[in-house]
Amino acid sequence: MVSQGISLLGSTIVSFAVMWYITLKTGSGVAVAGVTITTYLPQALVMLLGGVLADRYPPKRLVILADSFIALSTLILAILFLKAVDNISWIFFFNCLRSLGTGIQMPAIKSMLPLFVPEGELMRANSIYTSIWCVIHLVSPGLSGVIMSFVSIVGVFFIDVITAIIGVLLLSTIIMPAREIQQTRGNPKEELKQGFRYILNSKSLKYSIILYTTFQFLVVPASQLTPLLASQTLGDEVWILSVIETAFSVGALAVSLYMAYKKPSVPHFKLIGFSAMLFGAVMILLVPSHNIILFTALMLIMGIGSPLYYTPLMTHIQEITDNAYLGRTFSYVDLFSSLATPLGMVVFGPLSNVSIPLPFVIPGALLILLGVRVKNRKTSYCHTMQIY
């Protein structure tokens, strides 16, 4: 966790720095969109392959190789900038390479924890990892701004290389328990089909992935359109947007730390259902909130709900998935959830142009209904692995 936290910190700082560098250098929305596309599209394209590799080979080795590949790509980009070859197209190209490495890395990271964490402690372990993620996303914007005030974009690139090296060295000291590794070297397409059939044959796993994807789709307005709502109801000052984003991160961090300290005794799907209802209610209440204090308080409450669905759902999937299929399972989980965000923007983005309350009230109401359904679902069905 420490190794990946250090590596993630460097990568997140670079992500903010690149976005700001492109924005200040070009002032073009198209160029900014290019950064977003090159950050997320390549990793989505290779994520399924990453799942196959995670089931074929030791995940620790894959994470080290992927981290090293990302660091090497960043190092070459830094050298190009030092030689004054600072064309923006190079940023897009190496951003794609970094994204490819991330797509290979993500399924391997999520498939590692269940290999050496006892099943009864997975919830706390995932809570700790979520806490690290929250801290990084809380401090990264400020750190990135401070660093860019003293060094050039090249210096930021080198910071990412250094954090990646530290992360790789720390991870290399860990002895991973042996597990069943697929010895076949068949067609990756056939292995992906096997993974997909494995998911389809498990009612609990299939239900969990559909639930996660649906949740991700319905919360898109909360994650992507809240700044637009705040700018229209509270004002378009930068400090307002910073305050509400910070409030969300603080709420998420507080609950993650609590869940890491004291493992909740509440069943996974009770927490998930409560989180969905909480998200839905807050999304609806944000619309009439024209006071900065009230708006910030609601964002804090929404942040509290975030770990209550993500952490137990990821833990549940880890608990019910056979080790031999962990990589492919999480490649599908990450792929579907990644596609849910742009799909949600396609649906709710134009809706916000019609009326800004609509993309908050409609999915908010649907989340409340979803939460009630999930919360009342039979626990035995949700916690039992069923293979046919």
Side-chain angles (χ1 to χ4, degrees):
M1 290 184 188
V2 173
S3 72
Q4 290 309 295
I6 293 173
S7 180
L8 179 62
L9 177 62
S11 297
T12 307
I13 289 174
V14 165
S15 297
F16 280 109
V18 166
M19 182 69 75
W20 294 340
Y21 177 81
I22 294 291
T23 301
L24 296 174
K25 188 175 180 65
T26 67
S28 168
V30 174
V32 173
V35 175
T36 303
I37 292 171
T38 55
T39 298
Y40 292 102
L41 182 59
Q43 72 183 40
L45 294 176
V46 301
M47 207 169 283
L48 293 181
L49 175 61
V52 172
L53 295 176
D55 288 335
R56 278 189 178 188
Y57 305 104
K60 170 187 163 183
R61 187 185 306 170
L62 284 177
V63 173
I64 289 176
L65 290 174
D67 250 347
S68 301
F69 175 77
I70 294 170
L72 179 61
S73 301
T74 308
L75 178 61
I76 295 174
L77 180 60
I79 292 172
L80 287 174
F81 268 63
L82 283 175
K83 293 182 175 295
V85 185
D86 56 354
N87 192 296
I88 291 177
S89 59
W90 282 115
I91 292 182
F92 292 157
F93 175 73
F94 283 99
N95 217 29
C96 285
L97 293 183
R98 287 167 52 85
S99 181
L100 290 173
T102 302
I104 299 296
Q105 185 183 42
M106 286 176 64
I109 291 175
K110 290 184 178 179
S111 66
M112 277 202 302
L113 274 184
L115 298 181
F116 58 88
V117 176
E119 185 175 310
E121 297 296 332
L122 272 175
M123 175 75 87
R124 295 177 67 188
N126 282 313
S127 297
I128 294 171
Y129 194 78
T130 304
S131 300
I132 294 172
W133 184 90
C134 291
V135 170
I136 288 171
H137 282 77
L138 188 64
V139 304
S140 290
L143 275 177
S144 186
V146 170
I147 292 170
M148 289 190 71
S149 300
F150 293 97
V151 301
S152 65
I153 187 70
V154 177
V156 179
F157 291 153
F158 278 113
I159 289 175
D160 186 36
V161 173
I162 293 171
T163 55
I165 292 173
I166 295 173
V168 166
L169 290 176
L170 286 174
L171 188 59
S172 64
T173 65
I174 298 173
I175 299 175
M176 295 290 294
R179 66 153 185 170
E180 179 187 348
I181 300 290
Q182 289 193 359
Q183 299 300 321
T184 58
R185 295 295 182 265
N187 189 337
K189 184 178 179 181
E190 180 58 34
E191 292 185 43
L192 283 176
K193 288 181 180 179
Q194 291 175 2
F196 193 66
R197 285 195 294 267
Y198 175 81
I199 293 172
L200 291 180
N201 289 333
S202 167
K203 287 186 177 181
S204 186
L205 192 54
K206 181 170 58 178
Y207 172 79
S208 299
I209 295 176
I210 293 174
L211 172 62
Y212 183 50
T213 305
T214 304
F215 204 114
Q216 290 290 96
F217 173 78
L218 292 176
V219 300
V220 163
S223 62
Q224 303 295 323
L225 297 177
T226 300
L228 179 62
L229 176 66
S231 66
Q232 293 188 12
T233 58
L234 303 176
D236 56 1
E237 290 88 348
V238 175
W239 70 269
I240 293 178
L241 304 182
S242 299
V243 166
I244 62 176
E245 291 295 337
T246 301
F248 181 93
S249 298
V250 168
L253 175 61
V255 173
S256 296
L257 289 174
Y258 176 78
M259 292 173 69
Y261 171 71
K262 186 175 183 179
K263 183 176 63 175
S265 58
V266 182
H268 294 337
F269 283 81
K270 294 288 185 183
L271 288 174
I272 296 166
F274 174 75
S275 175
M277 291 188 291
L278 186 65
F279 259 89
V282 171
M283 286 175 66
I284 295 173
L285 291 173
L286 283 174
V287 174
S289 301
H290 299 282
N291 179 282
I292 180 65
I293 296 178
L294 177 59
F295 202 103
T296 303
L298 288 172
M299 289 300 295
L300 179 71
I301 295 172
M302 186 182 289
I304 290 173
S306 182
L308 294 180
Y309 89 89
Y310 177 81
T311 305
L313 196 50
M314 289 301 103
T315 301
H316 177 69
I317 293 174
Q318 290 170 337
E319 288 174 348
I320 66 175
T321 304
D322 188 271
N323 285 347
Y325 287 90
L326 275 169
R328 280 168 289 179
T329 297
F330 276 107
S331 69
Y332 280 109
V333 170
D334 290 332
L335 176 63
F336 293 147
S337 63
S338 297
L339 294 177
T341 299
L343 179 60
M345 283 302 294
V346 169
V347 174
F348 298 121
L351 200 59
S352 66
N353 293 332
V354 177
S355 175
I356 189 63
L358 290 179
F360 286 86
V361 174
I362 294 175
L366 293 175
L367 277 168
I368 293 175
L369 295 175
L370 177 67
V372 172
R373 180 178 177 84
V374 172
K375 192 169 180 287
N376 294 330
R377 201 166 187 87
K378 290 182 180 179
T379 304
S380 60
Y381 174 81
C382 295
H383 284 75
T384 303
M385 186 66 171
Q386 300 180 19
I387 301 294
Y388 295 92

